[in-house]
Amino acid sequence: HNIVAVGAKDEDIASAVNEIISMDGGLAYVEGSRKKILPLPIAGLMSYEKGEKVAFMHKKLKASVKSALSEPFGTLSFMCLLVIPKLKIFDKGLFDAEKFEQVNL
């Protein structure tokens, strides 16, 4: 799966990405020294933990995210999936999923 990162400070973004890498996948929120994580080591999408524990951790993590998005992690996860129609952002720019080709800027 892909790592998608959004933030206001480069240091926080880098720290969150490093947290995700160290967990072998998951979700991370970093604001300075404050960190909340949810390890999802199975393809970056699933956990070996019980569902109740994962749900609790996810709820705490979502509460920490200061974002205008109502579902920040879900929204960001789908932004990078090239197979979902319309224009998508990927490592080489924009991708038109309906035409299945890169879009020149």
Side-chain angles (χ1 to χ4, degrees):
H1 214 64
N2 302 299
I3 294 178
V4 178
V6 174
K9 294 182 180 178
D10 291 345
E11 298 82 17
D12 291 346
I13 295 169
S15 181
V17 169
N18 287 332
E19 288 289 335
I20 292 167
I21 292 168
S22 72
M23 295 184 289
D24 291 326
L27 304 174
Y29 168 75
V30 176
E31 185 178 3
S33 62
R34 187 172 157 210
K35 296 180 183 182
K36 298 282 185 182
I37 61 168
L38 173 57
L40 298 171
I42 305 170
L45 300 169
M46 296 178 283
S47 174
Y48 294 106
E49 300 291 340
K50 293 193 177 285
E52 295 83 8
K53 181 176 181 180
V54 174
F56 176 76
M57 292 172 67
H58 188 261
K59 184 176 180 178
K60 285 180 59 176
L61 180 62
K62 277 179 49 176
S64 297
V65 176
K66 295 178 180 169
S67 173
L69 299 173
S70 63
E71 283 295 328
F73 295 116
T75 301
L76 293 172
S77 294
F78 282 98
M79 284 178 66
C80 62
L81 293 175
L82 299 180
V83 296
I84 296 176
K86 304 295 178 195
L87 290 177
K88 294 295 171 182
I89 299 171
F90 79 127
D91 59 332
K92 298 186 189 318
L94 290 177
F95 186 82
D96 185 326
E98 292 176 342
K99 294 180 182 176
F100 209 74
E101 62 186 29
Q102 186 173 350
V103 176
N104 292 323
L105 297 177

